[in-house]
Amino acid sequence: MRTGCSLLVAVLAVLLGSSTAYFKPDLQSAYNFTVLKTYNKSTLYRIEANSSYDNAPLLVDLHGSRYEMGYAYGAMMADEVMFVYNAFLDSLLSSFINSTMGLDVAKDIIGAICDWQAKRDLFTELPAVYQQELAGITAAGNDHGQPDLGKAIERVLVLANMPGDIPDFIYVLIREYFGDAVADAIGKPVPSHVAFRGRNLDWTKDSGMNRYKLVTVFHPEDGFAHATVGFAPMWGAITGMSSQGITVHEANLEENRITFDGFPWALRLRYIMENARNLTEAKALWEATNNTVGFNHMVGSASDSLIQGRPAALVMETMHNYTAFFHDNDPREINATIDIKNKTYVIGEAIPDAVWRTNHGYDPEIREHFEWSMSPSSSTVFRYFIIHDALKQYEAEGQEISLAQMVNITAVVGNKGDTRDEFYTCADTTAGSNVVSVAFAPNSLTMAAAWERSTGDNWRPASCSTYIELNMNIWF
Ligand SMILES: *[C@@H]1O[C@H](CO)[C@@H](O)[C@H](O)[C@H]1NC(C)=O
Ligand SMILES: *[C@@H]1O[C@H](CO)[C@@H](O)[C@H](O)[C@H]1NC(C)=O
Ligand SMILES: *[C@@H]1O[C@H](CO)[C@@H](O)[C@H](O)[C@H]1NC(C)=O
Ligand SMILES: *[C@@H]1O[C@H](CO)[C@@H](O)[C@H](O)[C@H]1NC(C)=O
Ligand SMILES: *[C@@H]1O[C@H](CO)[C@@H](O)[C@H](O)[C@H]1NC(C)=O
Ligand SMILES: *[C@@H]1O[C@H](CO)[C@@H](O)[C@H](O)[C@H]1NC(C)=O
Ligand SMILES: *[C@@H]1O[C@H](CO)[C@@H](O)[C@H](O)[C@H]1NC(C)=O
Ligand SMILES: *[C@@H]1O[C@H](CO)[C@@H](O)[C@H](O)[C@H]1NC(C)=O
Ligand SMILES: *[C@@H]1O[C@H](CO)[C@@H](O)[C@H](O)[C@H]1NC(C)=O
Ligand SMILES: *[C@@H]1O[C@H](CO)[C@@H](O)[C@H](O)[C@H]1NC(C)=O
């Protein structure tokens, strides 16, 4: 779940060029929206495009009070949400449980843990508006033959907040049950890059999620309209954009200082989108709320870039009780190094007017608590430099980076397999783990979204599927 990361790249400057590209993402426009269902003022559409998907992505346009938006979503999508929720849990658990009975028992246990976490920690800081939305969803589920609907939506928010690695997760539970002293005494779980990579793939790809690929457009009466890109049961934002040209992003950052006692990040990203007009406001909102597990987050802002005359974004490297904020060309990132066996390797090369992250941090405190062992050949470092090189190439070619170029950079770093070469090609295989890939052009309120495609032997990563261009001016 946590690796369905949109790329954290905000590009700013003028670049892009002639394309001798051997990797050319498939970018198509949404040309029509077919009405599938309506409920009061809200509507569920199928996005028509010349795409490679066997099930076309959907767009749900929600209006009304918080409760009404939640209710409309539940009324129109109850069966879809439950279908995906069950498929996702089966897929998640079947990697280590192989009997039907064991699976059902494990699903109940996971459900109970999630419900308990939601009550005890994760939802205690949740602003009332989101509680009202969840109440609407729950009521709609009860009225439409899916009494577990509200719980399923909440559990997905909790699962999204779980660390990407099982030892990490156990570590959180120890901290929660026995307190900081015991957790600190145990120390950090042994990092295992290899184990993470394997589990990572099993956790995320081909989980059943992609049956209902979804763009959700919220029109809160007390906040800015905003859209999220993901899958039916995800009520929060993996990534998204607001009517103010604020974009939000996340990427894994495995830290050993983590907690459930904070604002569930997927709803926190919506909170930023619906309340912030610019980066100053986004930062203030971030600082007034609490982190949970480690993440690299980013907020992009169209209004700041108009003022500065260059693109603007803020990266937040986070862990429990600590956030390191970064703009472009930060001294902590410029020429950052790691030492391995008495040799020094450069792992950072900041560029003025560009901010991006993969799955590691540059703040010293964040680096101190990082779980993964890192080398110059680590995938996260390799991808960091792919982006760096692409930006420099565009700059050298003197061409502006617009949506098509953002799509290109985003698509190149999407995981398509285990070797370095595979970043640049789409092999006709099930290799890779990239489930969602979205590029934004916030100044024009447009975005391009791609999802993992098909299932089983036909599964393909998002970055090798179709990016569908959406003009969000229509929806905000
Ligand atoms: C797309 O990215 C690849 C890899 O960085 C690059 O070689 C190519 O020139 C880019 N193409 C376009 C159209 O920007
Ligand atoms: C768009 O969808 C509507 C409703 O299904 C249909 O009548 C119309 O022909 C479609 N337009 C295009 C350009 O496909
Ligand atoms: C649809 O996409 C395919 C593959 O990208 C392309 O060959 C075809 O020309 C496209 N059709 C239209 C109507 O755009
Ligand atoms: C649906 O609309 C009706 C009529 O405006 C309103 O009374 C009702 O509260 C709405 N229900 C929901 C759940 O939005
Ligand atoms: C279930 O997993 C166990 C342990 O990995 C294995 O020994 C057993 O053969 C598996 N059973 C089935 C039906 O796959
Ligand atoms: C951010 O928005 C607030 C409210 O509109 C405004 O007062 C402030 O000057 C803006 N800051 C920047 C840096 O644009
Ligand atoms: C954030 O955490 C601190 C320390 O636990 C707590 O005092 C504060 O109320 C929390 N903030 C919010 C918005 O809940
Ligand atoms: C958070 O960190 C500050 C130091 O930056 C420390 O004083 C405070 O006790 C910490 N709070 C919690 C809840 O860990
Ligand atoms: C970063 O490294 C490059 C190449 O070694 C060097 O030219 C540059 O001065 C360094 N920049 C800083 C800020 O240390
Ligand atoms: C690293 O340097 C130290 C002291 O300079 C030396 O004792 C040690 O053998 C070196 N280790 C390696 C792996 O080169």
Side-chain angles (χ1 to χ4, degrees), residues 190-333:
V190 179
S192 169
H193 187 67
V194 174
F196 179 84
R197 281 174 63 85
R199 198 167 290 122
N200 198 17
L201 300 180
D202 295 342
W203 259 65
T204 56
K205 72 190 268 186
D206 200 6
S207 66
M209 280 273 180
N210 75 355
R211 179 69 182 78
Y212 298 106
K213 301 172 275 291
L214 186 65
V215 175
T216 306
V217 187
F218 298 88
H219 293 90
E221 290 167 347
D222 49 0
F224 300 123
H226 58 284
T228 63
V229 181
F231 301 97
M234 173 46 95
W235 186 247
I238 296 169
T239 185
M241 183 167 63
S242 79
S243 61
Q244 307 302 298
I246 293 286
T247 63
V248 295
H249 312 257
E250 59 87 14
N252 263 34
L253 178 68
E254 294 296 329
E255 296 288 300
N256 66 17
R257 273 178 42 190
I258 50 186
T259 181
F260 272 115
D261 202 355
F263 198 146
W265 64 267
L267 290 174
R268 195 180 184 192
L269 294 183
R270 282 190 50 211
Y271 181 71
I272 298 289
M273 284 194 285
E274 55 182 75
N275 290 299
R277 267 163 289 220
N278 54 39
L279 294 182
T280 308
E281 292 187 352
K283 185 168 185 240
L285 291 166
W286 194 265
E287 287 178 316
T289 47
N290 285 319
N291 296 349
T292 53
V293 294
F295 267 105
N296 279 331
H297 287 293
M298 191 175 80
V299 180
S301 163
S303 68
D304 289 75
S305 57
L306 289 175
I307 293 167
Q308 297 177 17
R310 58 190 176 95
L314 181 65
V315 157
M316 293 152 332
E317 298 178 357
T318 71
M319 61 182 171
H320 172 216
N321 193 28
Y322 185 82
T323 301
F325 296 94
F326 286 76
H327 289 280
D328 63 321
N329 215 27
D330 189 285
R332 291 165 292 181
E333 185 181 345

Side-chain angles (χ1 to χ4, degrees), residues 340-343:
I340 301 172
K341 294 201 179 121
N342 292 356
K343 276 194 75 171

